[in-house]
Amino acid sequence: MLYSTVREFFPLYKAPRGTSDILPDEQGYWRYVEEKAALLCQLYGYQRITTPVFEDLRLFSRTVAEGTDIVDKEMYIFQDRSGQKLALSPEGTAPICRAYLEHGLYNLPQPVRLYYIASAFRYERPQAGRQRQHHQFGFEALGDADPALDAEVIEMANQFFLSLGLSGFSIQINSIGCRTCRPNYIEALKQHYSPHVASLCPDCQVRFTRNPLRLLDCKKPSCQKLAKTAPKSIDYLCNDCRTHFESVQKYLTALGLSFQVKHRLVRGLDYYTRTVFEIESQREGAQSALGGGGRYDDLMEQLGGDSTPSVGFAAGIERMVRSLKAQEVNIPALPKSDVFVAYRGDEAKLEAMKLALRLRRSQIAVMEATGNRSLKGQMRQANTSGANHTIIIGKTEVENQTVILRDMKSGEQKSVPSAEVEAALEGVNTA
Ligand code: AMP
């Protein structure tokens, strides 16, 4: 169907379910988030790392671990032409640990502080704030067991959301112990749940045998009731873990951060030890987790490395963008073209092309007209381009080696020698 300005038709293909295009209108938010992320990381001494979009499947099945939703149900798994089993990265931490070991980053002074911005792929049920491909900003401090580093990462996450201009979020922390003390806690948890297994949701019945910690995380009301009265992990911590958790809290308090200890906080990935934390927006309804992280002291060993205690954080960029919009945070507009160049006739077109090239080499952003549109059509294009000035070249201008310079706001036009366009645009030579 053809309308005066809008043409509608039905495309043969759409973006896969749970994925979305980030159109130019949205890009201002993304650039804003990425710039704030880069600035934050510079302030805290974190350097960027980029890892492949896909990895050896085992990297995730052994670390995120079987028995977690991500590995059991959500990974995008495929075999390449050589028969190797690969997975699209569902998260950013395991690939970074793999890179740390592969490139000998353990030889650098520790901790090694790294950050990433990357896609994550999970075959989840799409809904607002939950996609099958989403993007994460995350940072990791590798190779140091100091609880001050847990506090640094948590404070940095808090600072990140503040620097975006967001408010109304809270920080929850917990400790889920280590391989020494966690088995006792898991045992207590199983004892608590075992008389009620039949009344658990089907997912939790599986969790009961495969990953009991995740029972605490179930959102189903009947399961939540049992979770509320479940034993608390902090009551089962060994001395080292208890001291560590106390120190983290002491440091956070000293840094002036307000936080709550949430006893039911466990994370969706299996590699966490000791500190876990989450930052939640209190303003958004469902999918309110803005980001989360924790310590993963045993992960490097699972990947064949030496003991490398580490801590990290990741946050979903789509959810940040959603919060920025909901809270009407003012985002700087993306820069537009400085100048639109219009022409009439073939000779003028050639001059227009040469001038555009020259201006761009002087760092002036130029959008050029193309084709054989009427001057009126080109001026419409100039208007929508957002450029402050339009340069018009016709036959007379070619002959006189001049251009017409139009101020798009005031509509004023003047003739300018072609050689003086740069100066005229800078307002130095307005003759
Ligand atoms: P996780 O790796 O599960 O700890 O997730 C880290 C953060 O990524 C979460 O707090 C969310 O902000 C975001 N996130 C996780 N899964 C999704 C998803 N399916 N769609 C959009 N954002 C997500």
Side-chain angles (χ1 to χ4, degrees), residues 138-150:
F139 41 88
E140 318 283 348
L142 308 159
D144 197 329
D146 190 339
L149 208 55
D150 308 37

Side-chain angles (χ1 to χ4, degrees), residues 160-345:
F160 175 60
F161 293 117
L162 288 180
S163 77
L164 287 178
L166 291 176
S167 55
F169 55 85
S170 63
I171 303 173
Q172 281 115 36
I173 66 169
N174 194 17
S175 174
I176 53 170
C178 65
R179 54 187 166 196
T180 310
C181 56
R182 200 186 307 168
N184 293 336
Y185 176 58
I186 300 284
E187 202 36 57
L189 211 52
K190 285 189 95 163
Q191 273 182 21
H192 171 75
Y193 276 90
S194 64
H196 312 284
V197 173
S199 69
L200 293 172
C201 74
D203 279 345
C204 279
Q205 293 193 1
V206 177
R207 285 177 189 136
F208 180 78
T209 43
R210 295 192 71 187
N211 195 348
L213 213 54
R214 296 280 293 151
L215 288 165
L216 297 172
D217 210 19
C218 184
K219 304 285 179 292
K220 305 250 166 42
S222 56
C223 301
Q224 284 215 335
K225 238 197 215 158
L226 273 171
K228 269 187 195 149
T229 52
K232 298 170 180 171
S233 56
I234 57 167
D235 292 335
Y236 290 81
L237 298 180
C238 60
N239 281 340
D240 286 351
C241 286
R242 188 173 309 115
T243 311
H244 186 95
F245 194 47
E246 281 166 5
S247 300
V248 173
Q249 294 177 73
K250 185 179 79 185
Y251 291 138
L252 288 177
T253 307
L255 293 172
L257 232 74
S258 54
F259 60 90
Q260 293 95 44
V261 176
K262 184 177 167 187
H263 299 298
R264 277 180 291 146
L265 177 62
V266 290
R267 307 265 308 133
L269 315 154
D270 231 23
Y271 49 62
Y272 286 110
T273 48
R274 295 191 166 173
T275 315
V276 287
F277 70 99
E278 221 156 59
I279 298 196
E280 202 179 5
S281 166
Q282 285 142 346
R283 300 197 181 174
E284 256 69 58
Q287 313 309 327
S288 56
L290 282 173
R295 219 170 228 295
Y296 45 93
D297 290 347
D298 303 332
L299 179 50
M300 293 284 191
E301 278 170 278
Q302 288 170 18
L303 297 177
D306 288 340
S307 168
T308 313
S310 306
V311 55
F313 167 79
I317 300 182
E318 282 81 358
R319 293 198 192 166
M320 290 173 218
V321 171
R322 187 174 67 154
S323 293
L324 288 169
K325 287 181 183 170
Q327 297 188 20
E328 295 178 5
V329 175
N330 226 347
I331 303 297
L334 286 180
K336 304 224 164 160
S337 300
D338 300 313
V339 180
F340 188 89
V341 179
Y343 55 82
R344 190 147 60 177

Side-chain angles (χ1 to χ4, degrees), residues 6 29 84 119 134 138 258 279 312 350 392-393:
V6 181
Y29 286 98
Q84 197 191 351
S119 286
H134 70 278
S258 54
I279 298 196
L350 214 60
I392 306 160
I393 307 177

Side-chain angles (χ1 to χ4, degrees), residues 18 70 74 90-93 116 120-122 124-125 127 129-137 161 267-269 271-272 278-279 287-293 313-320:
I70 290 181
E74 296 172 1
E91 61 100 33
T93 303
Y116 61 93
F121 303 87
R122 298 176 189 176
E124 295 190 273
R125 196 169 58 79
Q127 52 182 288
R130 180 176 288 173
Q131 291 186 273
R132 289 184 174 167
Q133 179 186 7
H134 70 278
H135 298 78
Q136 292 192 352
F137 160 52
F161 293 117
R267 307 265 308 133
L269 315 154
Y271 49 62
Y272 286 110
E278 221 156 59
I279 298 196
Q287 313 309 327
S288 56
L290 282 173
F313 167 79
I317 300 182
E318 282 81 358
R319 293 198 192 166
M320 290 173 218

